[in-house]
Amino acid sequence: MLYLTPEEQSLLDGAAGPGVKRAMEIVVALGRIYGAPDLVPVSHVQISGVSYKNLGDAGVDFLNEWAEQGAKTVVPTTLNPAGMELDRWEAMGISPGFARPQLTAIGAFVRMGVTPTMSCTPYLMPGFAPKRGDHLAWAESSAVAWANSVVGAFSNREGGPSALAAALVGRTARYGYHLEEERRATHVVEVTCPVPDIADFGALSYLVGKAVGNGVPYFPDLGAWLPPLPEDLTLGGEAGDRLKTLGAGVAAYGAVALYHIAGYTPEARDQGERLLRPDAQRIVIDSLAPAYAVMDANPETTAIDLVTIGCPHASYTELQQVAERLQGHNLTTRLWVTTSRITRERAAQDGWVQIIEAAGGEVVADTCAVVAPMRALNVKRMATNAGKMACYAPMHSGVDMRFGDMEQCLEAAITGKWR
Ligand code: F3S
């Protein structure tokens, strides 16, 4: 039986108007379906499904209608990437037929009080990054994995409409990863092969995601491959970038929303093996080769149309690494480093963006190569170092895919060929 406070009941009865009533109906319906005891206030909402490529005309109409009902967000709310860079879409080669409905959708979100950050990495944004113990309603699966695992915040994997509903009422149903008991590990994943690179963490994410599904993996030994996290987590850092890739991949190849690393992630540091369920299954990963064989999907492809770095959106550290490697080079193939506007501005202050652009690369904000209309941009052969991009771009954009480490990707950008 779902308990509602008198205030929640009045919102459900329509006291704050039809838009809020609709939002409360969604939150309450989910609570009843999942057997939640009550609703929990959330401190931040992240909305996904923002690209016109995903929304279509029906989705844009749905958002406009909700905005016209006067509903407004009551907690800080941010947006996932859209299908284009909002003020540079013409230069990107996006057609007006795509751009107009995309801008209409963003306008509807903004009218409802959403901050148009257009990034899948709210945790890399000063001012929005969550704290341990925060309850969130985040819909971007890679960000949910980060918030739950790296920060120790509490979020389920919301859908786009349920996240927006939570933003309009400031609450979500208390079930799943909002409950301590549900956060215990279902699998112990021993990694006995080396994982020295971000791409290796992407390959690992493939194997773990496939093996664990929607379980909660506990890694007893992965901390050996992770330097300490930076004090300012919003910079990313070498460790943060590896974990960003791991979380995105296990969420994409499986449906993992939370993992623990012994001695490293907050709950594992505090509770150690007490986090394991008594029936936790043991899995051993002793080679990444099977993952590379699948993810590097088109080994016959050597000419590359687009190299893409930054899935999830690139951190400050990744922009710095790309810039340092490209200094003094001229690219022969198109390079997108996709990131948030906030991170791009931070990196530009230190000159990293200018170095990438001087080499001929593009530091693209607001979008990524999965949610942008890549076929219309005539991209057929792509290369990446990101596990999730290797999974989704062939599916969503029909491209051939080469997957490897950052050095292979940047070399392909410089030479135009995959080595
Ligand atoms: Fe972000 Fe796009 Fe990857 S939304 S997680 S960069 S697929």
Side-chain angles (χ1 to χ4, degrees):
M1 181 76 178
L2 180 73
Y3 169 76
L4 297 180
T5 64
E7 186 199 350
E8 289 162 354
Q9 186 61 54
S10 76
L11 297 180
L12 185 61
D13 294 340
V20 174
K21 177 178 165 61
R22 176 195 281 196
M24 202 58 167
E25 283 168 354
I26 292 173
V27 170
V28 165
L30 285 171
R32 293 199 172 123
I33 289 167
Y34 289 104
D38 61 359
L39 307 184
V40 58
V42 293
S43 58
H44 182 225
V45 171
Q46 170 77 8
I47 296 172
S48 68
V50 175
S51 171
Y52 176 59
K53 189 173 163 183
N54 307 116
L55 285 168
D57 291 327
V60 177
D61 290 347
F62 173 78
L63 288 171
N64 261 330
E65 192 191 306
W66 215 344
E68 275 158 24
Q69 290 176 333
K72 293 268 187 245
T73 59
V74 294
V75 291
T77 303
T78 46
L79 276 190
N80 242 28
M84 61 191 200
E85 194 162 322
L86 295 198
D87 48 10
R88 222 178 53 87
W89 54 269
E90 273 177 303
M92 287 176 76
I94 304 282
S95 71
F98 185 95
R100 279 197 203 105
Q102 179 66 84
L103 292 171
T104 303
I106 302 293
F109 282 122
V110 170
R111 290 210 307 284
M112 284 188 270
V114 177
T115 307
T117 47
M118 273 83 65
S119 174
C120 47
T121 55
Y123 49 89
L124 297 182
M125 296 178 186
F128 291 114
K131 298 184 305 300
R132 187 168 184 188
D134 284 354
H135 287 268
L136 313 167
W138 282 12
E140 166 52 41
S141 64
S142 61
V144 172
W146 177 283
N148 279 328
S149 315
V150 181
V151 177
F154 299 80
S155 183
N156 288 321
R157 281 170 63 138
E158 300 283 346
S162 76
L164 179 53
L168 299 175
V169 299
R171 296 155 169 87
T172 190
R174 194 194 303 270
Y175 70 95
Y177 296 114
H178 292 284
L179 303 171
E180 295 281 354
E181 177 57 26
E182 298 293 325
R183 300 173 67 88
R184 296 178 72 199
T186 58
H187 296 75
V188 178
V189 183
E190 290 177 23
V191 182
T192 60
C193 55
V195 276
D197 184 82
I198 285 188
D200 293 332
F201 272 74
L204 176 65
S205 75
Y206 170 87
L207 298 169
V208 176
K210 292 285 178 201
V212 165
N214 63 358
V216 179
Y218 178 95
F219 298 97
D221 38 26
L222 196 57
W225 295 100
L226 290 163
L229 283 162
E231 206 160 296
D232 179 359
L233 262 183
T234 62
L235 290 172
E238 216 174 301
D241 293 339
R242 289 177 192 188
L243 295 178
K244 183 161 74 75
T245 294
L246 176 69
V250 290
Y253 290 108
V256 174
L258 165 66
Y259 60 83
H260 303 291
I261 301 175
Y264 198 88
T265 52
E267 283 152 287
R269 271 200 318 264
D270 290 354
Q271 300 176 53
E273 294 196 353
R274 291 200 307 280
L275 269 177
L276 302 182
R277 293 189 190 190
D279 58 349
Q281 288 174 42
R282 182 170 167 270
I283 294 168
V284 177
I285 292 179
D286 57 8
S287 168
L288 301 178
Y292 276 99
V294 176
M295 297 166 78
D296 187 24
N298 300 95
E300 70 289 350
T301 298
T302 53
I304 302 294
D305 302 325
L306 177 75
V307 176
T308 174
I309 305 286
C311 170
H313 270 174
S315 69
Y316 175 96
T317 312
E318 287 174 304
L319 283 162
Q320 179 180 356
Q321 283 169 353
V322 173
E324 285 174 348
R325 177 65 180 88
L326 296 187
Q327 181 123 42
H329 286 285
N330 284 317
L331 305 188
T332 54
T333 287
R334 199 166 182 189
L335 167 71
W336 276 15
V337 188
T338 49
T339 189
S340 66
R341 280 172 185 258
I342 291 173
T343 301
R344 183 168 70 180
E345 275 163 31
R346 250 175 141 181
Q349 280 167 14
D350 293 332
W352 305 124
V353 172
Q354 295 84 335
I355 293 171
I356 296 168
E357 289 175 347
E362 296 170 65
V363 181
V364 176
D366 301 340
T367 189
C368 78
V370 167
V371 295
M374 301 314 286
R375 280 191 199 145
L377 298 181
N378 210 21
V379 172
K380 298 193 178 76
R381 298 161 300 188
M382 202 186 283
T384 188
N385 68 339
K388 179 172 175 179
M389 182 63 66
C391 174
Y392 279 11
M395 249 189 314
H396 291 254
S397 302
V399 295
D400 287 351
M401 179 58 73
R402 295 307 312 257
F403 172 69
D405 63 26
M406 172 90 92
E407 175 55 29
Q408 280 173 291
C409 288
L410 295 182
E411 194 185 303
I414 293 167
T415 64
K417 293 266 181 259
W418 189 261
R419 178 169 52 87

